[in-house]
Amino acid sequence: MKLITATTYEEMCQKAARVLAAQITLKPQSVLGLATGSTPIGIYQELVREYQEGKLNFSQVTTVNLDEYLGLSPENDQSYRYFMNQHLFNKVNIPKENTHVPSGQPQNPQEECRQYEELLAAVGPVDIQLLGIGNNGHIGFNEPCGHFPEFTHVVNLSESTIQANSRFFAHSSQVPRQAVSMGIGTIMKAKKILLVASGQGKAQIVYDMMFGPVTPQVPASLLRFHPDVTVFADQEAGVLALAALSK
Ligand code: PGA
């Protein structure tokens, strides 16, 4: 696991976006695994800017997203499909049919999970998977629990995630209680992983992920067994990990 720190959030996003842009340029038919949350927004802004400047072409790119809330329609402005459309897909020349986000309103959630795994097997492997990290160490919606979930599955969101995400909703009671998420095993199949973390609230969990025990109580800790993970952290999020590395 490699750590790249940046002085500011903006610089961190530029660095991470450069890796994604190089991937698209070198392999126009890349499969990108994408993430939602506040941290990747600056990365998507960078990619959109490069597209607008004529430096990037998304016409052959395929994307697969990590997760989606159960119960929200694609038009709901808190759904992850809506987020991706707003921040990236509507702003670049990616064909919409090449963009995949789990359905938030499947008739049968278990069947949706099975079909999403099938889709990933058909379009994959993912060339680069972008990840954020929750304060509790979740990646995607893989919450701390007694095991590392292997495949795409239905998740009951933890109270800490509901509280963290309630900032996007009028009231915490409106935050969906369930989601569909790629499993950690699914995520580990990506050829390359970029994990981004910003702000002092992430400093401890970045440290725990990199130096604490590998445990399902810190789902991101399993990434230490992946051969190609780069953690991008701004100064605040990287402070504890950087201090440990320089000891
Ligand atoms: P954040 O979320 O980028 O909004 O902090 C990260 C996550 O929960 O994965």
Side-chain angles (χ1 to χ4, degrees):
M1 200 175 251
K2 201 162 80 182
L3 175 67
I4 294 185
T5 52
T7 315
T8 61
Y9 169 75
E10 289 74 21
E11 188 192 329
M12 178 191 83
C13 290
Q14 282 162 12
K15 287 182 172 177
R18 224 172 280 151
V19 179
L20 288 164
Q23 173 69 39
I24 296 169
T25 304
L26 291 170
K27 183 180 170 194
Q29 292 163 346
S30 289
V31 180
L32 303 181
L34 299 180
T36 52
S38 49
T39 316
I41 289 176
I43 298 172
Y44 297 142
Q45 284 170 352
E46 282 293 312
L47 294 178
V48 169
R49 191 179 54 72
E50 294 217 13
Y51 166 74
Q52 287 168 345
E53 290 171 359
K55 295 180 192 159
L56 273 184
N57 179 359
F58 287 80
S59 64
Q60 297 179 71
V61 170
T62 296
T63 66
V64 287
N65 262 75
L66 284 168
D67 48 15
E68 178 60 286
Y69 286 120
L70 275 176
L72 300 190
S73 73
E75 294 76 34
N76 186 305
D77 63 6
Q78 292 309 325
S79 76
Y80 288 167
R81 163 55 78 178
Y82 187 95
F83 174 104
M84 291 309 305
N85 287 346
Q86 289 297 107
H87 290 287
L88 186 66
F89 301 154
N90 288 348
K91 296 182 172 168
V92 298
N93 66 334
I94 190 164
K96 270 286 163 58
E97 62 272 20
N98 290 7
T99 69
H100 305 284
V101 181
S103 168
Q105 296 184 305
Q107 283 200 341
N108 178 339
Q110 304 298 343
E111 181 58 16
E112 173 64 18
C113 295
R114 202 188 55 73
Q115 287 180 6
Y116 204 65
E117 278 294 323
E118 263 179 29
L119 169 88
L120 293 166
V123 304
V126 168
D127 289 295
I128 297 189
Q129 175 69 56
L130 181 62
L131 298 175
I133 182 167
N135 294 325
N136 62 4
H138 74 207
I139 47 176
F141 270 131
N142 292 282
E143 302 282 24
C145 67
H147 68 293
F148 292 108
E150 191 168 355
F151 300 112
T152 302
H153 58 297
V154 174
V155 185
N156 295 319
L157 301 186
S158 72
E159 198 47 45
S160 75
T161 297
I162 292 168
Q163 288 313 319
N165 290 4
S166 65
R167 69 190 193 274
F168 301 114
F169 292 80
H171 190 267
S172 64
S173 63
Q174 292 174 2
V175 183
R177 268 38 189 175
Q178 286 190 314
V180 166
S181 175
M182 281 189 201
I184 308 247
T186 325
I187 292 169
M188 292 286 278
K189 287 188 190 133
K191 292 188 202 166
K192 184 179 185 67
I193 293 177
L194 310 183
L195 184 144
V196 291
S198 168
Q200 62 182 19
K202 297 285 170 70
Q204 185 63 47
I205 198 65
V206 168
Y207 174 88
D208 291 347
M209 166 182 69
M210 294 185 71
F211 300 102
V214 174
T215 162
Q217 288 304 319
V218 181
S221 63
L222 195 69
L223 297 175
R224 299 229 296 272
F225 290 134
H226 189 284
D228 189 353
V229 179
T230 306
V231 178
F232 290 86
D234 61 14
Q235 201 161 16
E236 290 178 338
V239 65
L240 297 178
L242 202 57
L245 282 171
S246 57
K247 260 188 201 154

